[in-house]
Each structure stands twice: as structure tokens, then as C-alpha cells.
Amino acid sequence: MPQPPVTEQQAHRPDPAAHGAAGRPVHRLVPSPAGRIHLVEQGSGPLVLLVHGFPESWYSWRHQLPALAAAGFRAVAVDVRGYGRSSRPDAVAAYRMLDLVADNVAVVEALGERSAVVVGHDWGSNIAAHSALLRPDVFRAVGLLSVPYTPPGGPKPSDVFAGMSDPAGPFAGQEFYVSYFQEPGRAEAEIEPDVRGWLGGLYAALSADTMPGPQEPDPHFVAPGGRMRDRFPAAGRLPSWLTEEDLDVYAGEFERTGLTGALNRYRNMDRDWADLAAHEGAPITQPSLFLGGGLDASTTWLTDAIEAYPATLPGLSASHILDGCGHWLQQERPEETNRLLTEWLTGLPS
């Protein structure tokens, strides 16, 4: 459902007892290196920081906030910098991974906490993983949804993505969506004239009940001279987990902010590769959780990364593939996701 505006009282509320424990979630604005981060919190107890992916917002965790609060946790879902009501720096380089990790640390500190469990989905999974890797003093455990952990290092990302359109490969002549996002303004020109239609199409393209069949063109690739939306399902066909009202919330935020801040995350992958070179191959040793969708390309394309978990996530305590689930698993399968998350969280060392 559409959310009310943030009030000054909510933005500057200092009382740690006012966490929305017995009612609606509380909206707040807190200082960060980005300027400010908007967050929504509910419940009291150990802090669980929830980080969304592309193209979403804190709202993607709407089903988890009350469930985690009921299980005895202080659940906090942020708008990542560039999204929603959080600050949107102008510089492309302001969206590098090191800055997003710094934002997460600032949120924990602004909430008066010394440590947190960090859980992320999609790009948020990468942000959560690197938060745990770079600041183990703050993030005591990490949950990863959809996108498996791959340690820093390896080939330069832009070279990898360019190679995916190799003339000898299965996607010859087609452009991987990450490459399509690189040039500032290019993807924005496709999306922003019809934000609502584009978002609904992307959500449907990666959802289990509306995604293209195995014989249809892959929506992760763009044909020469084409657009991403050319391979989305028919207009108006929404997945079962997404109501018209939900889509209104997402579209309303991006119609107000534009897509540049969100897309700038993709435009920093080579910078991240250089920034994190000193951590090449580094494992995450804290307790960890992985949840993936059985029909999600983000999971299925990275099966090698999942198989490497004994070395890369030696603290892994639970890993689950949700059969028949697409990319947006905490929204497609909220009850199952909530159960697995709370079981893992309640089993963590205090």
C-alpha cells in the first residue's frame, strides 16, 4: 500500500524504544556519507539490516518487517543511496561498493547499535556480503538472497560481460543487460518515459509465474538496436505476488527520483574490482545464510559459486534453493522466506 510521507518527528526520533514494535513501521532519516539514508524499522531486539536490490526499495521487505519484529528482532529496511528518499549524489563514482558499505555502517551507528546482522537481495546481497567482508567488527552475520557470494578478484567485470556476446557463444550479437546499463543516459532513455510499464515488465520477466519460457528470447540480453522491454512479457501481465498498488509504490518512487542513481551501481563494477583487489579470494567467515530461487538466473548461472561455499562461506549454516521460485523470492515466497530467515536468525549466537 502507498506509504505516508516521513515526518520531522520520525526523521529525528532519538528514542530507541520507538521502533514500531507494536504497530505500523516507523520511517526515519539518518545521516550517512551519502547525506542521509531513509529507513523503515519495526520491532525491538537484535538489529537486522535489510538491503534491497535493483530496481526496488525498502518496500521489497514489506513482508519481512512485521515477521522479524514478531520474532523478536529490530528489523530495519533501508533505501540504498540513489533510491527512494535516501540521498542521490551526482557523481557516478559515489555509488562504488566501498561507499555503500560505509552507508550501512553509518546506519548501524545512527541507530545506536554496535553490531547487526545484514541481509540483502539481488544487488543488496552483494552489498551485504561486502559489508560483512570489510567490516566484520560491525556485521556479525550475513544473509544472501538470490545472488551467491563470489569473492573479489578474477577477470575485470567489463571484459566478462563483453565476452558474453561472443560471436561463437549462445548469445552471439546480443548485449548483456549489465553492458547495456553502462552508458549514462542510455537505459534511462528507455525506462523513464514509462517507468511503471518498464518496472512491471521487468518484475514479470523474472518471476516464476510470468517469466518467458525456455524457448523464448532471454530478457537478460538485448538484441542489436533493441531494448530490454522488447523481451518482457505482454503489457499488463503482472506476477501473482505484485498487486497494482504495489507497482504504484515502486513506480511512484522512480518517477520522482529517476533511474540514474539506481543504475550507477552497475556503472561502478570495474571500480569495485580495483578497489577490492587487496581482498582477492577472501572468504566471509561470519555465520551466513543463502536463499536462492530454483528458476532464478542469478542463482542458476552461479552454481559454481554455490559449490565453492565450503571455501568462500566457511560459516554457512543454512543454504536453500526454493523450487519453482523466481528472482524476487522474499516477495514471491514471503512465508517461506520469513520462516527460513527467522529460523536462521534465532539460531545465531547472541
Side-chain angles (χ1 to χ4, degrees):
M1 66 188 71
Q3 299 298 310
V6 179
T7 67
E8 285 300 304
Q9 180 183 11
Q10 291 169 333
H12 301 289
R13 189 192 306 271
D15 181 3
H19 296 162
R24 62 190 300 171
V26 173
H27 291 250
R28 294 179 60 184
L29 296 170
V30 300
S32 83
R36 64 183 186 179
I37 292 293
H38 168 247
L39 58 84
V40 182
E41 62 177 321
Q42 188 169 5
S44 58
L47 176 61
V48 181
L49 188 65
L50 304 169
V51 187
H52 67 81
F54 175 90
E56 300 176 277
S57 72
W58 75 267
Y59 190 73
S60 68
W61 300 104
R62 62 194 178 280
H63 303 297
Q64 284 66 55
L65 287 167
L68 296 183
F73 296 95
R74 184 183 185 185
V76 172
V78 299
D79 279 336
V80 174
R81 72 163 66 188
Y83 288 82
R85 305 173 205 178
S86 292
S87 293
R88 300 187 301 279
D90 291 331
V92 173
Y95 296 85
R96 67 209 313 156
M97 185 61 71
L98 294 178
D99 290 329
L100 300 176
V101 171
D103 285 345
N104 281 351
V105 173
V107 167
V108 174
E109 294 174 348
L111 293 174
E113 303 282 0
R114 298 182 62 183
S115 68
V117 176
V118 60
V119 178
H121 168 256
D122 184 76
W123 261 123
S125 177
N126 275 292
I127 297 168
H130 285 88
S131 296
L133 175 67
L134 300 176
R135 294 301 305 268
D137 56 316
V138 176
F139 299 104
R140 63 186 181 91
V142 58
L144 309 177
L145 278 60
S146 293
V147 178
Y149 174 61
T150 55
K156 194 174 184 179
S158 57
D159 293 339
V160 173
F161 300 132
M164 296 180 76
S165 58
D166 188 306
F171 302 105
Q174 303 178 59
E175 187 176 17
F176 192 49
Y177 78 100
V178 177
S179 298
Y180 180 72
F181 285 167
Q182 292 305 304
E183 181 184 340
R186 184 185 179 195
E188 289 93 327
E190 173 186 339
I191 303 168
E192 291 180 355
D194 177 22
V195 169
R196 192 178 192 278
W198 194 90
L199 291 175
L202 180 65
Y203 297 149
L206 305 184
S207 295
D209 59 342
T210 47
M211 63 174 53
Q215 304 306 315
E216 298 179 74
D218 192 323
H220 295 89
F221 289 83
V222 181
R227 308 168 300 170
M228 281 189 68
R229 69 188 309 152
D230 295 338
R231 294 182 172 180
F232 292 167
R237 185 185 175 199
L238 295 183
S240 58
W241 61 267
L242 183 71
T243 68
E244 296 286 351
E245 292 76 17
D246 293 331
L247 184 55
D248 285 341
V249 173
Y250 285 123
E253 292 291 72
F254 286 111
E255 286 170 348
R256 180 175 56 80
T257 65
L259 270 290
T260 296
L263 289 164
N264 279 344
R265 174 80 288 271
Y266 291 92
R267 296 163 183 163
N268 277 277
M269 297 180 75
D270 282 351
R271 287 189 181 91
D272 297 339
W273 178 78
D275 287 343
L276 298 167
H279 301 277
E280 182 170 1
I284 295 173
T285 58
Q286 297 98 308
S288 56
L289 165 76
F290 177 72
L291 303 180
L295 300 178
D296 181 8
S298 297
T299 297
T300 59
W301 287 352
L302 293 170
T303 54
D304 289 350
I306 296 173
E307 291 172 358
Y309 278 169
T312 62
L313 290 178
L316 184 71
S317 51
S319 180
H320 303 275
I321 302 297
L322 280 57
D323 290 339
C325 185
H327 181 64
W328 321 100
L329 74 171
Q330 79 267 35
Q331 298 174 89
E332 291 188 53
R333 300 279 188 84
E335 293 183 2
E336 190 172 359
T337 300
N338 292 346
R339 176 179 60 80
L340 294 171
L341 273 177
T342 54
E343 286 176 356
W344 174 68
L345 289 166
T346 54
L348 291 174
S350 58

